[in-house]
Amino acid sequence: MLTINTKSRTKLLFLRNRESIFYSQFSILFLFVLLFTFNLQGQTSSFFKKADTLNIKRRNVVAITETTLAIGALIGLDKLWYSEYPRSNFQFINDNNQWKQMDKMGHFMTSYVVGKAGMDVLDWAGVSKKNQLIYGATLGFTFLTAVEILDGFSKKWGASWGDIIANASGTGLLIGQELLWNEQRIQLKYSFHQTKFAKIRPNTLGENFLQQALKDYNGQTYWLSANIWSFNKEGNFPKWLNLAFGYGAEGMLYGKSNPNNQLFQDPYRQFYLSLDVDLTKIKTNSKFLKTLFSTINFIKIPAPTLEYNSKGNFKFHFLYF
């Protein structure tokens, strides 16, 4: 049985309390954004309608909002998180062998999704496609690189080349498709289900559903979701139907190799084949629904799924989350 001294217990309690503060602040900010959005919708029915030409007021609002949120988030991280640990000269670390690379998949997807959102809001403001790619699609990579720099000056962590490459790959997938097809035929998506492992290490893998969705790599799956109709527009496939290829891993209590990782089973990789829905291709006359579908389209829709894992086993899930 593991024993934790008083000093360690105090530190763990502090970290849990600080996480609760972060989640509370995030929830308040999210609620504020929702209320602000609905308030503007009530004032003008054209709020969700994309500008046909450059709307300078919208563009300025987007630029100021993104800059303020990004700077605020970085200052908050530095003051509330990194300041609690010793500083160092800038350093790199090699953490590419941890968590079966699930953390890298998280960076890959985050860079893509944030960049896609950056493009969408600039498109809403009527900004040209060229500037959408320059200033919007790179938003995820820019922000995550700034966080990586904070890691680099922390003695406890250090910047990770693997993270930077994953960030660049997500942005590259986004920009590459826009340049090649002028659309996102292959999208990065995410799904999550709770696992038994979080209960064993709640401080690391999460104490509740929201924390676990962000921290428990055992329950996360990352997907390449390809729209079938986009590759065969003369065919009879529904425009909203996607074919998705997923990657996950299970059995991990620690990032690095650790005897306790084998408490239940050896960690292993999982590969998935499933169906999905491109919500942005569902026909609706509601501008609000179009905005909502575009916003949540990074979530993989539960569907029948075939799994193959690195232990050599196949498994069919009637409905996989």
Side-chain angles (χ1 to χ4, degrees), residues 33-49 58 124 285-292:
V33 171
L34 282 181
L35 292 174
F36 178 73
T37 299
F38 281 114
N39 183 45
L40 284 178
Q41 185 190 26
Q43 294 178 15
T44 170
S45 60
S46 63
F47 175 74
F48 290 101
K49 184 178 180 180
R58 286 188 179 186
W124 167 77
N285 293 324
S286 170
K287 295 182 179 65
F288 170 74
L289 286 180
K290 288 181 180 179
T291 302
L292 177 64

Side-chain angles (χ1 to χ4, degrees), residues 223-267:
W223 303 84
L224 285 173
S225 183
N227 183 254
I228 300 174
W229 177 82
S230 294
F231 286 98
N232 183 22
K233 296 183 179 181
E234 302 299 325
N236 296 320
F237 291 101
K239 290 185 177 181
W240 47 262
L241 182 62
N242 282 21
L243 186 64
F245 304 89
Y247 173 71
E250 193 169 301
M252 302 174 294
L253 294 175
Y254 296 83
K256 299 179 180 179
S257 177
N258 189 299
N260 288 325
N261 259 339
Q262 286 76 39
L263 185 61
F264 288 103
Q265 58 200 16
D266 292 333

